[in-house]
């Protein structure tokens, strides 16, 4: 079961990496007007039930660009991860930040979003 969970996690990370590289390729055809550096530091006091199989992670996206933090088993995860996004339109580009919990083999559970 643990090996299956590791395989699923590996597949999801690979999928995100492929999506990011495809997105970056598509976006590179337009000229970026700038870049945005986002620092994902931590989440505090997440309302989760105590469990040893939690995998809390944060995902930030801007258009087709998407980055994820490593998963952490804590109600107060600390990541301190830098994410860099290319800006193409100051009026339309929006950064979305979401916190998820991957529990067992169920679909990713969203915890919060901004």
């Amino acid at each position: 079961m643990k090996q299956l969970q590791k395989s699923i996690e590996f597949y999801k990370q690979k999928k995100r990496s492929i999506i990011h590289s495809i997105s970056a390729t598509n976006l590179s055809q337009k000229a970026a007007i700038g870049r945005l550096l986002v620092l994902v530091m931590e989440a505090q006091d997440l309302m989760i039930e105590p469990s040893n199989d939690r995998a809390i992670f944060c995902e930030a996206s801007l258009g087709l660009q998407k980055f994820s933090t490593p998963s952490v088993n804590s109600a107060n995860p600390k990541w301190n991860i830098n994410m860099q996004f290319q800006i193409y339109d100051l009026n339309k580009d929006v950064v979305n930040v979401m916190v998820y919990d991957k529990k067992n083999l169920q679909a990713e559970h969203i915890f919060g979003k901004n």
Side-chain angles (χ1 to χ4, degrees):
M1 191 69 156
K2 287 184 180 184
Q3 184 65 28
L4 180 58
Q5 286 177 319
K6 286 181 183 179
S7 296
I8 290 171
E9 177 62 25
F10 177 77
Y11 168 77
K12 287 180 180 179
Q13 291 295 337
K14 269 295 204 201
K15 180 176 146 189
R16 284 189 190 103
S17 174
I18 290 169
I19 289 171
H20 180 312
S21 63
I22 290 171
S23 301
T25 301
N26 291 340
L27 291 174
S28 66
Q29 296 170 358
K30 297 180 184 179
I33 60 172
R35 61 184 174 162
L36 174 67
L37 181 64
V38 174
L39 173 60
V40 178
M41 295 177 62
E42 64 184 17
Q44 295 179 351
D45 301 325
L46 297 176
M47 299 179 74
I48 61 175
E49 298 172 12
S51 175
N52 289 331
D53 63 351
R54 295 286 179 194
I56 309 296
F57 72 100
C58 180
E59 182 176 271
S61 63
L62 189 149
L64 297 174
Q65 303 168 80
K66 190 181 291 188
F67 296 96
S68 297
T69 65
S71 55
V72 178
N73 183 7
S74 172
N76 297 295
K78 295 185 186 313
W79 295 291
N80 294 319
I81 300 290
N82 292 318
M83 301 175 179
Q84 183 171 294
F85 297 96
Q86 298 296 317
I87 303 293
Y88 295 92
D89 187 331
L90 290 174
N91 297 314
K92 293 182 181 177
D93 287 344
V94 176
V95 175
N96 293 301
V97 179
M98 302 166 115
V99 177
Y100 292 97
D101 178 16
K102 293 183 228 174
K103 183 179 179 184
N104 297 328
L105 297 177
Q106 299 175 11
E108 295 171 347
H109 292 97
I110 187 167
F111 244 135
K113 84 182 210 183
N114 177 340

